Amino acid sequence: RLKDEDLIDEIQLRSRIAFTRAKVQSDVQKILQLYRVSGRFSAFVEPKVILLPKNRVDLIFEINEGPVTKIKKIEFIGNTKFSDNRLKSIISSKQKSFLRPFTSSDRFDSDRFLFDRELLRIFYSQKGYADFKITSASAELSPDNAMFYLIFKIDEGNLYKVRDVKLKSNLET
């Protein structure tokens, strides 16, 4: 899914550069990071080193991209004022569904996950819950790296309502 040119631009090893195993491992980690950013957390990179005469090597990165890692479940813990379904409608991340085949909202994205936290904070604030806070938010990857589970632990706090508004002015009418 990623082009060779894009990967080559990101790695540090090049032709006529001193070869070290540390640089290879660093490049493997960089390639894996690029695949994670694109939503492929099960990607696997295996470097192959071919020894050549005159103290030279060819380096080949064999990449198994794997499938896009989807969001299996979104869970809220501590909410009593609003249902899980209502809160799920507020955030931009969505659970995997056959009804969403052409959207990326069911793919895990760490930036979207941070944005979801902010969306929840804004929602509760607008509803009068000034003390709302997210006590923890975690994105847990399944052992086979195929699915994410998003868990938001929240403390809704108290509901504040404006009881009375008085306006006082020194302007003459």
Side-chain angles (χ1 to χ4, degrees), residues 4 14-15 19 24 52 69 87 89 114-115 134 138 161:
D4 288 351
R14 307 251 188 268
S15 293
F19 171 84
V24 171
L52 300 173
T69 307
L87 296 179
S89 73
L114 291 173
F115 182 59
I134 296 176
S138 63
K161 293 183 180 180

Side-chain angles (χ1 to χ4, degrees), residues 15 27 29 36 38 73 79 85 90 112 143 147 152 162-163 166 171-172:
S15 293
D27 285 347
Q29 292 306 312
R36 287 186 177 116
S38 71
K73 185 168 174 101
N79 56 312
N85 286 337
I90 300 303
R112 185 183 305 132
M147 296 286 176
F152 296 92
V162 177
R163 184 182 319 165
K166 294 182 181 179
L171 296 176
E172 294 180 22

